[in-house]
Amino acid sequence: MRIGVITFPGSLDDVDAARAVRLAGAEPVALWHADHDLRDVDAVVLPGGFSYGDYLRAGAIAARAPLMQDVVDRARQGMPVLGICNGFQVLCEAGLLPGALTRNSHLHFRNRDQRLRIERADTAWTSAYTSGQEIVVPVKNGEGRYVAAPDELERLEGEGRVAVRYVGGNPNGSLRDVAGVTSEDGRVVGLMPHPEHAVEDLTGPSTDGLGFFTSVLKAVVAA
Amino acid sequence: MPQVVVDVVLKPEISDPQGQAVLGALGRLGHTQVTGVRQGKHFVLDVEGTPSREELEQIAETLLANPVIEDVELHLPEA
């Protein structure tokens, strides 16, 4: 099982994401944003960071990188894609996920361990959890406030597209406490919190994040 | 060289915490007649020749603005 991790100029958490992939039992494959080569990977992770310094809008320029055209094409055919933090912003900007991430309502960068509720345990990246399960992983962002037009948000809730929700306090003013959303087919998931920073007792607040990376192993085999 | 100006503003239904912070500062400075601030972006494009309105709209809507949360206003050079 080969899981690609894309590095953009300004990516920070690509090495941690690759490490989480390895700990989950898959082979991490480094991908470069400017290539047109997905190197035969079975799934892709877009890591956190500040691609292009958040210029224009967070994730906006990275979403137009050459490799992203390949990611969009393969995702539409069912390849699992996970976007974490800046990666989530890139997926929204690329049109693979609905809504947008904007400046935190309190205008501060927020960095803390965050409790989350898994709302959808049937996506490619969350099947290792149970629906309603609560986990703790780090969250760290300045532009993490999830927004969408009111009728769009209503539609997303109706379709069960909210995959992960903040509980015990909303760190950025996200509408309806949305921490992460999924594509219609459950193959593409994006979230602002960082499961890849919670995969080992030594370095994380828990090992709760590992489930995202073990889930996709089953999703790829089943496909 | 002709210039095209593109203004990008958040849609009315999207809250603008930066604009609200500016409004708060204006109030503290005594400018109490200002009752609302919306912050946006202003792009000035130098263009060669005469790009079509369709192309400029595509530039504005596919890169300069995110249509999910922002509206654009195109200001074309005098013909």
Side-chain angles (χ1 to χ4, degrees):
Chain A
M1 172 89 36
R2 291 163 61 83
I3 300 181
V5 178
I6 304 179
T7 299
F8 300 95
S11 292
L12 296 178
D13 298 323
D14 43 350
V15 176
D16 272 28
R19 188 160 152 275
V21 166
R22 190 178 307 112
L23 288 170
E27 178 192 350
V29 177
L31 300 176
W32 180 238
H33 74 110
D35 295 338
H36 256 307
D37 185 2
L38 280 170
R39 300 182 61 191
D40 295 321
V41 294
D42 302 295
V44 166
V45 178
L46 278 65
F50 295 88
S51 59
Y52 293 93
D54 278 354
Y55 289 0
L56 188 61
R57 297 175 305 276
I61 298 179
R64 279 83 182 168
L67 188 63
M68 282 307 295
Q69 293 169 25
D70 304 88
V71 171
V72 169
D73 290 345
R74 286 285 306 279
R76 299 217 188 279
Q77 296 160 19
M79 178 182 72
V81 180
L82 175 68
I84 302 168
C85 194
N86 190 223
F88 183 18
Q89 295 163 335
V90 173
L91 291 179
C92 288
E93 280 283 345
L96 279 178
L97 290 175
L101 286 312
T102 59
R103 187 66 71 93
N104 292 353
S105 55
H106 44 65
L107 299 176
H108 297 286
F109 193 92
R110 188 55 50 84
N111 177 15
R112 71 181 189 203
D113 297 335
Q114 174 71 45
R115 204 143 51 86
L116 305 171
R117 187 170 60 237
I118 304 292
E119 301 281 23
R120 288 278 306 271
D122 57 348
T123 78
W125 299 93
T126 55
S127 64
Y129 303 101
T130 54
S131 181
Q133 184 178 346
E134 293 193 4
I135 65 171
V136 174
V137 305
V139 68
K140 45 168 193 173
N141 62 65
E143 299 192 29
R145 179 175 56 112
Y146 186 81
V147 298
D151 51 340
E152 169 82 346
L153 207 53
E154 202 59 47
R155 185 179 67 81
L156 294 174
E157 290 275 18
E159 292 175 359
R161 301 279 291 278
V162 178
V164 189
R165 221 182 287 269
Y166 299 115
V167 289
N170 180 330
N172 47 34
S174 287
L175 297 179
R176 305 204 186 190
D177 299 330
V178 172
V181 296
T182 175
S183 60
E184 235 173 319
D185 64 2
R187 307 292 283 180
V188 182
V189 170
L191 78 168
M192 287 311 296
H194 287 265
E196 84 284 18
H197 292 331
V199 294
E200 267 188 328
D201 284 325
L202 181 65
T203 53
S206 70
T207 57
D208 293 350
L210 196 59
F212 280 83
F213 303 93
T214 56
S215 294
V216 74
L217 306 186
K218 279 181 284 176
V220 170
V221 169
Chain B
M1 184 170 285
Q3 292 184 327
V4 173
V5 172
V6 183
D7 288 317
V8 176
V9 291
L10 282 172
K11 287 180 186 290
E13 65 266 30
I14 302 294
S15 79
D16 177 13
Q18 294 182 96
Q20 284 163 10
V22 173
L23 180 65
L26 287 173
R28 290 191 294 278
L29 291 169
H31 300 293
T32 52
Q33 282 172 310
V34 181
T35 59
V37 176
R38 303 284 287 174
Q39 183 175 316
K41 297 191 185 93
H42 179 84
F43 299 88
V44 180
L45 314 181
D46 298 330
V47 296
E48 276 179 339
T50 49
S52 68
R53 184 176 183 92
E54 288 69 34
E55 184 178 1
L56 292 166
E57 280 173 354
Q58 192 195 0
I59 289 169
E61 284 164 17
T62 59
L63 182 62
L64 302 186
N66 178 349
V68 174
I69 51 169
E70 294 168 325
D71 291 324
V72 292
E73 257 180 54
L74 267 183
H75 304 278
L76 302 178
E78 300 287 315

